[in-house]
Amino acid sequence: MRRKITIFGFFSEDSGLTCFIKTNYHALVAEGYDFNIINTANYRPARELKRLGTYYEVPFYFSDINGRNFFQKRKNFIRELKDILEECRNTSQTIHLYLNTLCDPISIILAHKANFNRIITHAYADYTNIFNIAEKQLQYVGRKMVEKYATDYIAVTPEAANFFYSKKLQRSPKFSIIQNGIAVKKQRYHEEQNLYYRKRYGIDSKTFVIGNVGRFINSKNQVFLVECFDLFQKIYPNAKLVFIGDGPMIEDVRQRVYQLNLESKVIFTGYLENTEEVQNIFNVFAYPAISDGLSLSLLHSIANGAMAVVSNTQSQQLKELDGIVSLPIDNAQLWADEFYRLNQRRYNRSIQSEKIMSELIQHGFTISTVSRQLKKLYGRPQWED
């Protein structure tokens, strides 16, 4: 039997992290790697990850410290996770922790207590701009636990690295950046899919479509996007806003749509398995995230040939790509004006798609690049003694 690598993270069905795991780890399985997957998602857990290896599920306790039975839920979570980690340790020497924050470093501490030889922490987000004082203090404690117990330090972007690691750790030979990789050529623009899905969702072929893909959570800032769209459609009425995804804050966004009387102009598709096909209807991909990692949905959309307007909190890696405009998120009118400017721009969507796909390949945003980096990180598949 081969030694397994244990993967830990909050893998909900509609998260970018889950998409990263599904996209890139299938290639590793095909090359002989085996995995234990520990999923802590408490909202739409991605159980399709069972196809990658031995699957465990231990829903994360509620983050609201004022919530009912908070401490009991946390206690139960720790007990269950401890048992799972000890079981995984029977077949695994390495654990790879995909983390959004370090506010509760219990997974790192328990991995150490379970005697994993290698504890890899992976900074998968940057929440610097949305943390309050208390959260920043908790993050500081978590960084100390990383320094004490982790053996390898990975980040998806330099910004996420700064959020998780000290400059000293970033100079360590055990630190590296592994950026997101996608199946680039699969995102190629298809005119026939554009026309098909516009007809399916009742959108005229000449309507200007602004799209957004992602979970409905605070950091994605979709309410702000609704307000930007409201200003834009007042100067260009033949427009639609399409949201693809689901999440705990979807009703807040729906409520804002209702308040602005935009029900006829905003479409909520819900979670889709075929996002790569539906995104062909987008003229512009809008991503006003307050703070985040390296958005896979953004990479998908620009590879598909859509122009993109993103918040200026996004990684510098993205701003170097063609077709992306970066704007501050304190001025909705600025976003509306940019939507109008892009609406007036004329370009060949297929040619733009081919151009950006070439750029993404050149910059290493590919499955093959990520697979090569992960294989280097993990080493060759090992057999039990």
Side-chain angles (χ1 to χ4, degrees):
M1 179 183 292
R2 282 188 291 265
R3 282 282 183 185
K4 296 184 178 183
I5 296 164
T6 299
I7 306 298
F8 172 96
F10 193 99
F11 305 125
S12 63
E13 240 178 19
D14 49 2
S15 73
L17 175 56
T18 302
C19 184
F20 174 87
I21 296 296
K22 290 191 297 184
T23 301
N24 294 283
Y25 276 75
H26 279 295
L28 295 179
V29 170
E31 295 202 30
Y33 290 86
D34 282 351
F35 297 98
N36 296 315
I37 299 99
I38 303 176
N39 190 357
T40 65
N42 53 16
Y43 178 82
R44 295 177 68 106
R47 296 187 175 119
E48 67 267 34
L49 296 183
K50 291 179 181 180
R51 288 177 288 181
L52 296 178
T54 305
Y55 179 85
Y56 302 88
E57 199 170 287
V58 50
F60 192 66
Y61 61 90
F62 295 121
S63 58
D64 181 6
I65 197 167
N66 296 315
R68 187 176 180 183
N69 300 324
F70 170 84
F71 292 104
Q72 185 60 47
K73 289 178 180 177
R74 184 175 187 274
K75 183 179 179 180
N76 293 341
F77 171 82
I78 291 173
R79 184 184 66 251
E80 291 181 42
L81 179 58
K82 178 177 179 291
D83 292 342
I84 290 171
L85 287 173
E86 289 178 353
E87 181 176 338
C88 289
R89 183 61 186 85
N90 292 327
T91 59
S92 175
Q93 296 176 339
T94 298
I95 184 168
H96 191 154
L97 302 159
Y98 283 90
L99 304 171
N100 286 329
T101 77
L102 296 170
C103 286
D104 188 348
I106 190 61
S107 59
I108 302 170
I109 295 170
L110 292 180
H112 169 73
K113 289 185 176 180
N115 293 317
F116 281 91
N117 294 348
R118 292 183 70 196
I119 300 174
I120 304 168
T121 52
H122 196 131
Y124 204 77
D126 170 21
Y127 291 154
T128 304
N129 295 325
I130 62 174
F131 265 18
N132 59 35
I133 294 176
E135 288 167 330
K136 288 178 180 178
Q137 290 175 335
L138 291 171
Q139 181 76 2
Y140 175 78
V141 174
R143 286 170 63 134
K144 292 298 180 183
M145 294 299 101
V146 168
E147 292 180 9
K148 186 174 183 179
Y149 296 127
T151 61
D152 300 80
Y153 320 100
I154 311 300
V156 67
T157 64
E159 293 80 5
N162 292 334
F163 182 54
F164 268 65
Y165 308 127
S166 67
K167 293 298 182 183
K168 178 182 177 181
L169 284 186
Q170 292 182 53
R171 291 191 295 269
S172 165
K174 293 294 186 177
F175 169 79
S176 62
I177 297 285
I178 299 180
Q179 61 191 20
N180 281 338
I182 64 172
V184 175
K185 295 296 180 69
K186 190 177 180 181
Q187 314 307 320
R188 179 180 280 108
Y189 175 68
H190 294 283
E191 177 68 14
E192 62 275 16
Q193 290 182 351
N194 176 17
L195 296 175
Y196 173 80
Y197 285 105
R198 280 175 179 258
K199 183 177 180 180
R200 180 171 175 178
Y201 288 106
I203 303 172
D204 185 79
S205 62
K206 292 182 171 57
T207 298
F208 190 77
V209 177
I210 298 169
N212 177 272
V213 181
R215 295 188 71 215
F216 286 84
I217 54 178
N218 182 58
S219 65
K220 301 294 186 181
N221 206 20
Q222 284 108 332
V223 170
F224 174 78
L225 178 54
V226 171
E227 293 166 355
C228 298
F229 175 76
D230 180 50
L231 295 174
F232 169 65
Q233 61 88 30
K234 288 175 180 175
I235 57 176
Y236 190 84
N238 189 21
K240 295 276 189 181
L241 175 60
V242 176
F243 285 110
I244 298 178
D246 200 351
M249 291 191 67
I250 190 170
E251 291 307 318
D252 297 286
V253 181
R254 289 184 187 276
Q255 180 64 23
R256 192 60 182 139
V257 169
Y258 173 77
Q259 291 169 348
L260 294 172
N261 298 312
L262 294 173
E263 296 98 315
S264 64
K265 290 180 174 287
V266 180
I267 297 171
F268 294 87
T269 70
Y271 171 71
L272 298 177
E273 291 283 355
N274 62 336
T275 300
E276 291 160 343
E277 297 178 5
V278 179
Q279 71 184 1
N280 284 277
I281 70 176
F282 297 168
N283 296 106
V284 168
F285 181 82
Y287 194 68
I290 299 171
S291 193
D292 203 357
L294 185 59
S295 169
L296 282 168
S297 57
L298 173 57
L299 296 178
H300 289 161
S301 289
I302 61 173
N304 188 249
M307 296 292 109
V309 184
V310 306
S311 59
N312 60 1
T313 61
Q314 296 305 297
S315 174
Q316 186 62 37
Q317 294 168 288
L318 296 175
K319 298 172 186 177
E320 296 171 357
L321 299 173
D322 185 58
I324 296 180
V325 177
S326 175
L327 296 176
I329 50 176
D330 59 358
N331 189 333
Q333 186 63 58
L334 199 61
W335 285 65
D337 292 343
E338 184 61 29
F339 293 153
Y340 185 77
R341 186 188 73 80
L342 292 173
N343 172 60
Q344 301 303 303
R345 178 178 175 180
R346 296 293 176 261
Y347 68 98
N348 186 299
R349 179 73 176 269
S350 295
I351 292 176
Q352 177 70 8
S353 177
E354 294 293 335
K355 177 183 178 182
I356 297 301
M357 286 192 297
S358 295
E359 276 195 36
L360 291 173
I361 293 170
Q362 180 182 351
H363 284 80
F365 293 103
T366 64
I367 293 175
S368 60
T369 301
V370 173
S371 175
R372 184 168 60 251
Q373 291 175 309
L374 288 172
K375 285 190 289 185
K376 181 180 178 181
L377 175 68
Y378 294 149
R380 295 171 60 86
Q382 294 181 348
W383 293 85
E384 289 189 35
D385 295 334

